[in-house]
Amino acid sequence: MVDVPRELLEAAAVADVVPVLGDALNPGPPEGAASGDQLALLLGAKLNLPVGGIRPAKDLPILVSQYEALRGRHALIALLRQQMGAPDPVIPNELLLAVRLASQALITTSVSLNAETALRRIGNATSTVIIDPIATWYTSQERQPWLIKLAGCLSQPESVALSSDRLMRLSTSIDQLELMVRGILLTKTLVFIAYGLGDPFLEALHTLLQMSSTHSRRRYILTEEIADDERVIARVWESRGYEVVSGPLCAMLEQLVDASDPAGRSIAAVAPQNVHSLRPFKFLDYYTEQESKIYFGRDDEAESLATIIATNPLTVIVGPSGVGKTSLVNAGLIPRLHAKGYDTCTIRALDHPTKEILNALRLKEGGEGWASEDLRTALSSYTRKRPLVVTIDQFEEFFLRVGPGARRDFAEQLYACLRDASLDIRLAFVIRDDFLHHLLELSPPLDKILRSHFVVRRLSRGQVGDVLKKIFQEIGIEIDPELVARLMEDLDDDGIDPCQLQIIGHTLQREIPPGSSSVKAELYGTLGGTDAILARYLDHTLDVLAAELLPVAKGVLQCMVSADRTKNVMSTKEIARDVITRRLDVSDDILQRVLHDLMQARVIRSVQGRGEEVFELAHDVLAAKVWGWIEPRDIELKYVRQLLQQSTVDWRQVKILPSRPQWELVERHREELEFSPSEALFALHAAYHYDSGVTWWTAKAEQCGVDVWAECTRMLGTESPPVRLAVLNWAVGSPNARKTALLELALLSEYPAVRRVARRAMFGETPRHAGGDEPVFVDVPGGDFLFGTDDLRFEHSQPCHRVTVSAFAIQRYPVTNYEYRAFVRATGHRAPDHWEGGEPPYRLMEHPVVQVSWWDATEYCAWFAAEAGLPTRLPTAAEWEKAAGWDPLKGTQSYWSWGNTFDPAKGNSRVGGPGSTTPIGQYTPASGDSPCGVADMCGNTFDWVSDWWAPGHDPTEVVDPQGPPTGQHKCARGGSWAGSAEGTSVVSNKYSLSPGTRNEYVGFRMAYTVADAS
């Protein structure tokens, strides 16, 4: 007995197999149609070609082309009819078995009538489809299975496509094929029967299938035997994803027929069964998969949508609010996908969609998880055998609840999944049309995201009549035809809104007199008609609540409307934390009672997601009405709440914080907000990142249960120097004993500014000695070096010449705000303009001081000299340049402190910098210091030097050059946080300023001559 692959038997058992028939089994005339090999030999003979030069398995299309060119198409068709057009041909037993597998469709590349005859003999009528690359003919469109004749049929001579040109056109026509045909080719398990492994029609079909980017099922080739000279060809087919199975063809087909279920079972054996509903009108709720039996009016749309999704990797389902997109997906699409052999996973983007998809798949696997949280890796580990369709319903929530960073992350993960040919997955986004433009945010990487889309429109009058009659029949009620006509007339506004139809149908059903078996037009008139019913539907529903609960109910409903006037998904805790609910001072018991009553009234519904029960308005149409109740002061708070929610997801998933203006908006309303632990944790990090309100936010985080000391310890070890300094500044003022461990950790930091603050906090303030950290001054040995450059990129820096500089010492870092504060306090000197009340902003204590003139700098040097007993002064331009770029070991001068190639990671400039000053030494760990060990020489702030400025260097000054004796402008060297790459070079001499200038770009550092100091 031949071992037919188990997966193929399983596919046959669930009616997922589509046979694809060649003509190798044809017995030949006069008993039956000719096979391809027989026809090729006959054509060769008529063309006077030597028999030994014909390869029947490969040459048929070429021979057909030659014969048609020489004798004409009429002669070709006459020959084909003679050889293949027998009206009652002998049908091989293998063919009779093969057609019994065709529960849904049968495909053939034979132009004979064998397939039609075989189907008739087993008692199966067909809706024949005759295909050529240009046109499609239907003999009928009412019966299944479909017979798809890809090479045409002799009954329609124009369709016959056996020549090489027509075969090539067929192989590249996947996008031109009828949607139904394309769906079958790309979504079913194809079994090729009666083809030689070298058959050109088999090659053409393979090319046709490869033209689609959609992942298709595994394909099988059944053959009697594999000759020795075909074994290599068989390996080629297997490398293409086909399984070649050899053996007695009858035996293999008998096994498949025995395995098949004549009833055509759905492959989704676990699909939920329909449940009868006594409330077939859903009011504002949507239909579920279990209610597909009472979902009427959209059968054709559901079938088309299922085929589109099956044949495209990504499909967007779009339509206006209230048009019934969710019901179409749940009760129309999902059951049809199951019938087509797909597993389904439908989620909402209540959190990061990757997280939601992985949680849904874990539930399908009985709670089993995967080590990876990466979507592609998890999907590749998904153990189910069926292809998967992932639908994200109400995808507009993705743009309301997830920030830009997490959106990009999800788009990149989806792109990786769609590019992975091993993943048999389709994706569908269901989105409102007024959010459609947001999809462009996902491109790139998801280019051409709208290439496959399906528009859900309002119901037609015919659909409405079908819905009303069948729904009322479901509950044993007859509807008055006059009422149906009036409803169509009253509701029709370029189509009929399903939501309005449901409200009116629900109301009519509720008002039917007891014992009545019909609903009359008179009842509709008594209720005031469409306008009155729609105007009162929400108020009438709320009237059933107890009077004392009505204000709370309206407050709860207001909470459930987002800043974008859409329904908002909220947990009980989130509703309780909302500012509107807190203003009503609602107890937990009352809130639970109101939620229960609103669910019973079908105004809100419970949604499973996020590991807890959450609630939302039953429909977006409610949001528009409830929005009118919301006071103006609450609208901005809704936007802030939405921003906080998005930012929390962004930070949790991809560690991206909101912009400063967005954070300032949250800060402005912080007293009016309540925070979840995850929101408080996000806000703690944002506060330290922006160094804004850290004391308040730290206290709030502690109230919400966040271990702030553990988080601060983590930030101190991983975040940027400004964040670490903000942590230290908060910890220093805390009475908590845990700060000692934090300060000890800071003493080990790779950043000098962090070490300075920690040392001062632990051992006292010693500003003139940098907190006892590393030395304030770096010794630079005397000797010659190359001063200037001949590179014309660096204006006013010529010529390059050798000069001798005496041994000197220079400050390792620029003078900081903290150090300059001591000078201002001691002397009463003018403080920099950006200081507040004569004090520097505490977050800038370890930044270089700016807004100081050349005169301010020289006075500081004189004060420091008196305090420290050192002959401190501003460095000369030559001293500064030597300290910044000269390598005393190599005897070379570089363009930047680290080398001759600019690197934005090693200095603070406008190229990759933060757009402001940074703490001193921030780029030291990145090897941004000079060979002499001096930091911040390329960017951050310019340094005043002692020289008057001149447009170039004087080559006659070769020993301790001092620059011109007089001038109007002083030199500033090194570039700033706003400078270009060339502007931050150590050789750049471009910047000159009046000595009285104060701006945000220029600071200074001190130097002294070693001989003078000794």
Side-chain angles (χ1 to χ4, degrees):
M1 182 177 179
V2 179
D3 289 329
V4 176
R6 181 177 59 84
E7 293 82 2
L8 180 54
L9 291 172
E10 290 176 353
V14 293
D16 189 55
V17 166
V18 171
V20 184
L21 303 180
D23 56 17
L25 297 177
N26 289 359
E31 293 83 6
S35 67
D37 288 359
Q38 293 168 337
L39 186 60
L41 291 172
L42 177 62
L43 287 170
K46 289 185 175 291
L47 293 170
N48 298 317
L49 299 176
V51 176
I54 297 174
R55 300 169 301 171
K58 289 184 174 294
D59 292 343
L60 177 62
I62 297 173
L63 294 170
V64 169
S65 298
Q66 293 175 357
Y67 188 85
E68 185 175 2
L70 291 174
R71 306 288 177 85
R73 186 164 180 83
H74 180 75
L76 173 66
I77 297 300
L79 177 64
L80 292 176
R81 282 176 170 164
Q82 179 187 7
Q83 296 296 315
M84 309 184 77
D88 192 24
V90 172
I91 302 299
N93 190 44
E94 292 90 342
L95 182 56
L96 292 171
L97 288 169
V99 298
R100 290 177 62 188
L101 293 171
S103 62
Q104 298 182 47
L106 175 67
I107 301 172
T108 181
T109 55
S110 175
V111 299
S112 72
L113 301 176
N114 284 10
E116 294 93 317
T117 304
L119 285 165
R120 274 199 311 273
R121 290 183 184 176
I122 67 168
N124 206 342
T126 64
S127 177
T128 304
V129 184
I130 305 169
I131 303 292
D132 79 359
I134 300 173
T136 301
W137 290 277
Y138 291 88
T139 59
S140 171
Q141 296 189 52
E142 298 177 354
R143 298 189 301 273
Q144 285 190 338
W146 298 96
L147 174 56
I148 303 168
K149 308 197 73 169
L150 291 175
C153 184
L154 285 174
S155 63
Q156 295 284 350
E158 299 90 343
S159 70
V160 173
L162 295 180
S163 67
S164 55
D165 288 343
R166 294 203 175 199
L167 191 61
M168 182 173 64
R169 292 166 67 189
L170 170 64
S171 68
T172 58
S173 64
I174 187 70
D175 290 333
Q176 285 75 49
L177 291 177
E178 187 76 12
L179 178 62
M180 178 274 297
V181 177
R182 191 163 74 246
I184 290 171
L185 284 170
L186 297 176
T187 64
K188 294 301 178 184
T189 302
L190 303 182
V191 180
F192 295 88
I193 303 167
Y195 286 98
L197 295 182
D199 194 309
F201 288 91
L202 187 60
E203 286 283 354
L205 290 177
H206 170 68
T207 303
L208 177 76
L209 296 169
Q210 293 302 104
M211 294 295 290
S212 172
S213 60
T214 303
H215 188 294
S216 59
R217 309 289 178 80
R218 186 162 180 80
R219 304 158 190 151
Y220 299 85
I221 301 173
L222 304 188
T223 182
E224 283 281 350
E225 61 179 351
I226 302 175
D228 290 340
D229 59 350
E230 290 183 319
R231 297 197 182 279
V232 173
I233 303 176
R235 294 288 298 274
V236 171
W237 283 110
E238 289 170 357
S239 70
R240 293 170 169 177
Y242 294 73
E243 187 164 345
V244 181
V245 186
S246 63
L249 197 54
C250 266
M252 290 189 287
L253 291 171
E254 285 172 354
Q255 287 187 58
L256 290 173
V257 170
D258 288 343
S260 65
D261 183 350
R265 287 196 309 248
S266 167
I267 198 166
V270 296
Q273 298 300 309
N274 286 287
V275 294
H276 181 71
S277 172
L278 294 178
R279 305 177 72 178
F281 286 105
K282 303 300 292 181
F283 188 48
L284 294 174
D285 207 350
Y286 50 70
Y287 287 89
T288 66
E289 182 184 357
Q290 291 85 353
E291 294 168 317
S292 61
K293 290 290 188 185
I294 58 170
Y295 179 67
F296 303 113
R298 293 199 188 266
D299 288 347
D300 292 343
E301 291 169 84
E303 189 62 40
S304 296
L305 177 56
T307 302
I308 289 172
I309 287 177
T311 55
N312 290 279
L314 173 60
T315 301
V316 175
I317 304 169
V318 61
S321 175
V323 81
K325 299 182 293 296
T326 298
S327 292
L328 175 61
V329 168
N330 287 348
L333 172 65
I334 299 299
R336 285 168 173 81
L337 288 175
H338 287 162
K340 290 177 180 290
Y342 287 89
D343 198 2
T344 60
C345 169
T346 303
I347 63 135
R348 297 266 297 275
L350 305 181
D351 204 326
H352 193 294
T354 296
K355 180 179 177 181
E356 296 285 0
I357 292 171
L358 295 180
N359 286 340
L361 294 181
R362 287 189 183 101
L363 288 175
K364 283 180 171 289
E365 293 294 279
E368 296 293 328
W370 299 278
S372 173
E373 292 298 316
D374 174 70
L375 184 59
R376 185 173 67 88
T377 304
L379 286 172
S380 66
S381 302
Y382 187 57
T383 58
R384 290 179 180 252
K385 299 296 183 183
R386 300 192 296 275
L388 178 67
V389 175
V390 176
T391 304
I392 306 182
D393 192 18
Q394 302 183 47
F395 195 55
E396 59 270 11
E397 293 172 330
F398 174 68
F399 300 100
L400 297 175
R401 305 179 71 86
V402 177
R407 293 175 201 169
R408 286 193 297 273
D409 175 64
F410 180 58
E412 289 166 0
Q413 292 200 49
L414 278 190
Y415 181 68
C417 291
L418 295 175
R419 283 178 58 86
D420 189 339
S422 69
L423 295 182
D424 198 352
I425 181 173
R426 277 77 166 165
L427 297 163
F429 297 156
V430 186
I431 191 168
R432 281 172 32 178
D433 57 0
D434 51 335
F435 278 79
L436 191 61
H437 63 283
H438 284 289
L439 292 178
L440 298 178
E441 297 178 27
L442 307 182
S443 174
L446 295 178
D447 297 325
K448 300 180 181 178
I449 192 169
L450 296 176
R451 181 176 181 178
S452 172
H453 63 275
F454 184 89
V455 180
V456 184
R457 307 183 189 280
R458 292 180 170 186
L459 296 171
S460 67
R461 291 195 174 200
Q463 288 174 309
V464 167
D466 184 56
V467 169
L468 290 172
K469 292 173 184 176
K470 289 182 177 178
I471 285 186
F472 277 110
Q473 284 176 4
E474 185 74 18
I475 56 175
I477 298 293
E478 181 182 355
I479 186 168
D480 185 351
E482 181 187 347
L483 173 55
V484 174
R486 285 185 60 183
L487 283 172
M488 291 181 182
E489 188 65 33
D490 291 349
L491 288 172
D492 196 354
D493 180 16
D494 193 23
I496 296 172
D497 190 329
C499 181
Q500 294 181 354
L501 182 65
Q502 287 289 327
I503 292 172
I504 292 171
H506 170 82
T507 303
L508 289 172
Q509 181 190 355
R510 184 186 63 212
E511 299 296 332
I512 294 174
S516 176
S517 60
S518 64
V519 55
K520 301 289 187 182
E522 289 78 6
L523 175 62
Y524 177 67
T526 302
L527 295 172
T530 295
D531 291 343
I533 293 173
L534 294 177
R536 293 197 312 264
Y537 75 93
L538 181 57
D539 294 332
H540 179 85
T541 302
L542 294 179
D543 283 345
V544 303
L545 300 179
E548 67 273 14
L549 298 182
L550 190 58
V552 178
K554 288 191 171 184
V556 168
L557 294 177
Q558 291 175 60
C559 297
M560 293 185 177
V561 179
S562 74
D564 295 275
R565 306 189 185 193
T566 63
K567 58 186 181 180
N568 195 17
V569 179
M570 304 180 76
S571 68
T572 305
K573 292 180 181 178
E574 288 171 333
I575 296 170
R577 284 198 302 267
D578 192 273
V579 64
I580 298 174
T581 314
R582 285 191 291 116
R583 197 180 296 138
L584 294 170
D585 193 23
V586 181
S587 69
D588 290 343
D589 290 342
I590 292 296
L591 180 58
Q592 290 290 349
R593 181 180 170 188
V594 167
L595 290 173
H596 175 269
D597 289 351
L598 289 174
M599 286 183 63
Q600 290 295 108
R602 302 168 81 179
V603 175
I604 68 172
R605 61 170 165 248
S606 173
V607 180
Q608 294 303 314
R610 303 188 307 184
E612 60 183 334
E613 187 178 28
V614 291
F615 304 91
E616 67 176 356
L617 296 177
H619 203 281
D620 268 331
V621 297
L622 283 173
K625 187 170 183 68
V626 173
W627 182 264
W629 302 344
I630 302 174
E631 298 180 18
R633 61 175 176 166
D634 293 327
I635 293 175
E636 183 171 344
L637 282 172
K638 281 188 172 292
Y639 174 76
V640 175
R641 162 56 59 190
Q642 182 172 306
L643 174 61
L644 179 64
Q645 186 179 55
Q646 290 180 349
S647 299
T648 300
V649 173
D650 257 6
W651 181 81
R652 187 173 67 241
Q653 295 291 336
V654 290
K655 294 298 181 281
I656 290 179
L657 292 170
S659 66
R660 182 177 285 277
Q662 289 175 321
W663 172 246
E664 289 172 351
L665 181 61
V666 174
E667 275 230 293
R668 191 158 65 242
H669 292 280
R670 67 188 188 186
E671 298 287 355
E672 301 169 271
L673 298 170
E674 286 289 326
F675 302 89
S676 68
S678 60
E679 290 169 345
L681 180 59
F682 147 73
L684 179 72
H685 282 261
Y688 281 105
H689 177 82
Y690 290 115
D691 204 356
S692 174
V694 294
T695 301
W696 191 94
W697 287 107
T698 304
K700 176 60 67 175
E702 283 189 304
Q703 291 175 12
C704 294
V706 176
D707 186 344
V708 297
W709 286 98
E711 287 301 317
C712 285
T713 301
R714 190 174 297 113
M715 285 189 274
L716 191 63
T718 60
E719 294 291 348
S720 65
V723 175
R724 300 185 193 205
L725 290 171
V727 169
L728 282 180
N729 288 328
W730 168 77
V732 166
S734 172
N736 195 304
R738 293 177 71 178
K739 75 177 181 182
T740 301
L742 202 69
L743 294 173
E744 289 174 346
L745 179 64
L747 287 176
L748 304 176
S749 174
E750 68 271 35
Y751 294 106
V754 175
R755 295 196 299 267
R756 282 187 172 194
V757 172
R759 189 170 294 277
R760 284 200 297 267
M762 297 185 74
F763 307 116
E765 302 205 4
T766 54
R768 291 191 299 279
H769 301 290
D773 198 24
E774 55 277 308
V776 173
F777 291 90
V778 172
D779 289 330
V780 181
D784 59 359
F785 83 106
L786 293 175
F787 183 34
T789 181
D790 292 326
D791 190 331
L792 297 180
R793 288 182 299 166
F794 304 102
E795 198 175 355
H796 308 311
S797 301
Q798 293 74 37
C800 175
H801 61 295
R802 191 169 292 277
V803 301
T804 299
V805 176
S806 301
F808 67 97
I810 189 169
Q811 269 189 296
R812 183 184 296 274
Y813 311 108
V815 173
T816 65
N817 285 298
Y818 175 79
E819 292 167 332
Y820 199 77
R821 182 181 67 171
F823 164 61
V824 171
R825 286 178 173 179
T827 65
H829 193 85
R830 169 180 171 170
D833 292 344
H834 65 292
W835 287 17
E836 301 166 0
E839 289 288 316
Y842 75 91
R843 67 181 181 278
L844 300 178
M845 284 293 189
E846 295 305 316
H847 288 234
V849 66
V850 293
Q851 297 282 6
V852 290
S853 69
W854 186 89
W855 302 111
D856 296 330
T858 55
E859 288 190 45
Y860 179 91
C861 292
W863 170 78
F864 189 89
E867 290 289 315
L870 291 172
T872 49
R873 54 175 172 78
L874 294 178
T876 66
E879 289 173 333
W880 189 97
E881 192 167 312
K882 183 175 184 179
W886 179 254
D887 189 334
L889 298 177
K890 296 180 180 179
T892 58
Q893 180 78 358
S894 59
Y895 286 143
W896 288 273
S897 290
W898 50 84
N900 287 320
T901 302
F902 177 73
D903 186 346
K906 295 183 177 180
N908 178 15
S909 70
R910 73 172 179 230
V911 185
S916 62
T917 60
T918 51
I920 51 97
Q922 177 164 325
Y923 294 87
T924 295
S927 302
D929 292 358
S930 75
C932 292
V934 187
D936 293 321
M937 299 296 262
C938 297
N940 209 8
T941 58
F942 284 97
D943 287 342
W944 286 115
V945 295
S946 62
D947 301 40
W948 291 101
W949 184 82
H953 302 307
D954 183 355
T956 65
E957 275 197 290
V958 294
V959 177
D960 290 328
Q962 303 293 312
T966 60
Q968 293 185 335
H969 296 96
K970 287 289 185 179
C971 290
R973 301 295 296 271
S976 77
W977 53 269
S980 64
E982 285 76 17
T984 61
S985 170
V986 302
V987 300
S988 176
N989 185 42
K990 184 177 180 179
Y991 211 62
S992 64
L993 293 169
S994 167
T997 300
R998 296 183 176 93
N999 64 32
E1000 64 267 39
Y1001 311 115
V1002 184
F1004 68 98
R1005 69 181 76 218
M1006 298 181 292
Y1008 63 84
T1009 304
V1010 172
D1012 293 344
S1014 61

